Amino acid sequence: MCGNWGTADIISTVEFNHTGELLATGDKGGRVVIFQREQESKNQVHRRGEYNVYSTFQSHEPEFDYLKSLEIEEKINKIRWLPQQNAAYFLLSTNDKTVKLWKVSERDKRPEGYNLKDEEGRLRDPATITTLRVPVLRPMDLMVEATPRRVFANAHTYHINSISVNSDYETYMSADDLRINLWNFEITNQSFNIVDIKPANMEELTEVITAAEFHPHHCNTFVYSSSKGTIRLCDMRASALCDRHTKFFEEPEDPSNRSFFSEIISSISDVKFSHSGRYIMTRDYLTAKVWDLNMENRPVETYQVHDYLRSKLCSLYENDCIFDKFECVWNGSDSVIMTGSYNNFFRMFDRNTKRDVTLEASRENSKPRAILKPRKVCVGGKRRKDEISVDSLDFSKKILHTAWHPSENIIAVAATNNLYIFQDKVN
């Protein structure tokens, strides 16, 4: 399944809710589109699993910072769902500066028969009101309304790269290049600064925060990654300002791989806790790594996403692709990880069997019930007919954002302005 829009419609984030019944995407134009999964019907058993548009709303508008005379893009950087507590759904969305809490709710009845208003909503002349009416609820066509419930603004000097909802569901954090703030959902006019790595003299700045996430079960623990390829685990019980980490994860560099690009490609673009909370996965430019929380000196698993690009780093630097920020996700049981690549390829690594596969999100294989064929990239030498040469990869087609259904083998893959949803053929 795929949908297509224009250039403001480049998808910038993809996120399933906690049940997997809803899937939200945010785009460069500041819009949020929510897809809802079809309920299974008796006569169309195979239809289960199709996602259709449920609600579309404008989350952020372009703004202008007059003090710095800077335009603030409306682009949605991240969406995070809150667990559903009643009939309505709640989600957080953020652009570079402002986080908003949205309520998405359904209306299929409307009240009629007011005493003080007529049917158009105008106030009636009290002198004409002679009887007391009991208003009634009449059925109407289903409407899905999105309303902003809270706006959390003016807390970030730099661009927000991450938001993460805490497991206490009362607080969340937002991270920018140099600081991480902790918010209470009920309080919009102040946040609590929990990490600040800004040096007294900005010329001494050596690294920036690239991503941050709360532990899935322990509300006092969070991790953040840096542009130097390091991960810090912090404990909010230790001190109010978590500038001193509890654990520091870093892999020593292999001197034989040292190059001009080493620092750029070691920058971590995404960090994700496993559902179990035992592992963290990080993505840098060429690899995805899995770290055990109990082992700081090196990752327990390293997966080469597109090692054939090592020889191409020079041209990737010149066309700015080397700064692309790829995300990574776990499947529901933490046994498989997925991350994107170029040429609309995405990669899956099975942690148990150590098998890996390259798949392609494209128009041709998005026909219903089409089977995805594994793709292979060949480097130099002879090319087999089903292989693609590393020199003919399209670097403008990149899969940065992916999401995995929390319990089933359904994945969502954003390829520029197309959203692809693939599911296991067992379903």
Side-chain angles (χ1 to χ4, degrees):
M1 164 188 172
C2 72
N4 189 359
W5 301 288
T7 46
D9 310 311
I10 292 175
I11 298 173
S12 49
T13 183
V14 188
E15 191 79 8
F16 280 101
N17 76 339
H18 291 253
T19 61
E21 290 302 300
L22 298 180
L23 170 68
T25 65
D27 67 21
K28 279 202 166 175
R31 271 185 310 266
V32 171
V33 180
I34 300 174
F35 299 86
Q36 184 182 44
R37 195 175 183 190
E38 283 292 315
Q39 294 308 311
E40 194 168 323
S41 61
K42 293 252 181 352
N43 48 5
Q44 289 180 301
V45 182
H46 64 266
R47 279 291 300 266
R48 174 82 174 125
E50 288 207 359
Y51 284 80
N52 292 320
V53 174
Y54 175 66
S55 173
T56 305
F57 59 93
Q58 188 72 30
S59 172
H60 287 69
E61 302 281 355
E63 292 173 59
F64 193 78
D65 182 334
Y66 291 97
L67 288 172
K68 297 200 181 74
S69 66
L70 278 178
E71 285 180 30
I72 300 167
E73 281 188 80
E74 65 271 42
K75 172 184 162 222
I76 309 291
N77 291 344
K78 284 283 184 292
I79 290 172
R80 289 290 177 263
W81 290 90
L82 276 70
Q84 193 176 359
Q85 317 235 308
N86 53 28
Y89 302 99
F90 287 87
L91 61 87
L92 286 173
S93 65
T94 186
N95 67 348
D96 286 341
K97 296 288 179 188
T98 305
V99 184
K100 295 184 181 183
L101 175 68
W102 288 90
K103 176 185 180 180
V104 181
S105 52
E106 294 183 355
R107 272 222 330 239
D108 61 355
K109 295 185 181 68
R110 67 160 176 261
E112 280 180 9
Y114 288 112
N115 288 287
L116 302 176
K117 294 180 188 162
D118 63 17
E119 299 312 329
E120 270 76 58
R122 290 186 296 262
L123 282 175
R124 289 163 59 177
D125 175 9
T128 65
I129 302 171
T130 54
T131 55
L132 187 63
R133 297 199 288 176
V134 179
V136 290
L137 287 172
R138 294 243 187 273
M140 57 175 252
D141 288 343
L142 178 69
M143 266 177 63
V144 182
E145 296 178 310
T147 44
R149 297 310 300 268
R150 305 263 190 288
V151 176
F152 305 90
N154 307 324
H156 285 276
T157 312
Y158 307 98
H159 291 177
I160 298 173
N161 55 46
S162 307
I163 47 177
S164 179
V165 178
N166 200 345
S167 59
D168 62 12
Y169 303 133
E170 291 175 15
T171 55
Y172 77 90
M173 68 178 170
S174 55
D176 67 25
D177 295 344
L178 299 180
R179 298 191 181 96
I180 302 176
N181 293 331
L182 181 69
W183 300 83
N184 186 301
F185 277 108
E186 301 302 320
I187 302 165
T188 57
N189 58 356
Q190 65 183 88
S191 60
F192 193 79
N193 180 228
I194 50 175
V195 171
D196 186 347
I197 64 165
K198 184 179 177 184
N201 175 8
M202 277 297 262
E203 282 168 14
E204 289 163 18
L205 182 69
T206 59
E207 65 180 331
V208 293
I209 298 167
T210 55
E213 189 177 62
F214 269 119
H215 189 284
H217 317 300
H218 304 312
C219 60
N220 50 283
T221 310
F222 66 93
V223 291
Y224 69 90
S225 58
S226 89
S227 55
K228 275 196 160 170
T230 62
I231 308 111
R232 290 171 174 84
L233 179 88
C234 302
D235 187 337
M236 293 191 286
R237 296 171 302 189
S239 67
L241 191 61
C242 302
D243 283 358
R244 285 206 298 280
H245 47 266
T246 314
K247 290 189 173 186
F248 182 76
F249 301 85
E250 182 178 29
E251 184 171 28
E253 193 190 18
D254 176 359
S256 65
N257 272 342
R258 179 98 193 125
S259 78
F260 171 76
F261 304 108
S262 294
E263 272 187 32
I264 303 173
I265 63 171
S266 65
S267 175
I268 292 173
S269 52
D270 197 15
V271 60
K272 293 264 172 49
F273 270 104
S274 63
H275 296 82
S276 67
R278 163 97 193 250
Y279 300 99
I280 40 182
M281 167 169 45
T282 58
R283 171 72 210 260
D284 56 43
Y285 190 64
L286 293 176
T287 66
K289 293 174 182 170
V290 175
W291 305 75
D292 188 318
L293 280 194
N294 304 319
M295 192 165 98
E296 297 167 62
N297 60 338
R298 62 188 167 87
V300 285
E301 297 155 31
T302 299
Y303 299 99
Q304 301 295 337
V305 179
H306 36 216
D307 204 44
Y308 46 78
L309 295 183
R310 248 179 227 285
S311 59
K312 297 249 170 289
L313 291 177
C314 203
S315 52
L316 289 162
Y317 178 75
E318 283 165 8
N319 65 12
D320 273 355
C321 283
I322 201 166
F323 302 107
D324 284 335
K325 293 177 171 43
F326 292 96
E327 294 168 10
C328 52
V329 285
W330 301 85
N331 72 340
S333 60
D334 297 334
S335 60
V336 182
I337 63 175
M338 170 171 66
T339 190
S341 178
Y342 293 103
N343 209 66
N344 279 359
F345 289 169
F346 57 99
R347 303 270 283 139
M348 287 185 178
F349 302 94
D350 187 311
R351 300 179 56 215
N352 302 324
T353 64
K354 298 297 178 223
R355 297 223 311 271
D356 67 281
V357 66
T358 303
L359 300 169
E360 182 183 3
S362 74
R363 289 280 167 147
E364 291 69 68
N365 44 25
S366 65
K367 313 258 187 313
R369 290 184 247 318
I371 307 260
L372 287 179
K373 289 193 284 292
R375 301 297 308 258
K376 283 219 161 29
V377 177
C378 76
V379 188
K382 285 191 112 139
R383 184 165 72 88
R384 294 205 190 91
K385 70 167 174 33
D386 54 345
E387 291 183 336
I388 179 166
S389 156
V390 67
D391 296 316
S392 55
L393 293 173
D394 186 342
F395 292 109
S396 65
K397 293 181 175 167
K398 49 191 94 168
I399 290 181
L400 304 176
H401 316 286
T402 58
W404 203 309
H405 188 289
S407 55
E408 294 179 45
N409 274 337
I410 299 176
I411 57 167
V413 174
T416 323
N417 52 356
N418 292 314
L419 177 71
Y420 294 89
I421 296 171
F422 299 112
Q423 61 177 330
D424 209 332
K425 59 178 181 291
V426 217
N427 282 353

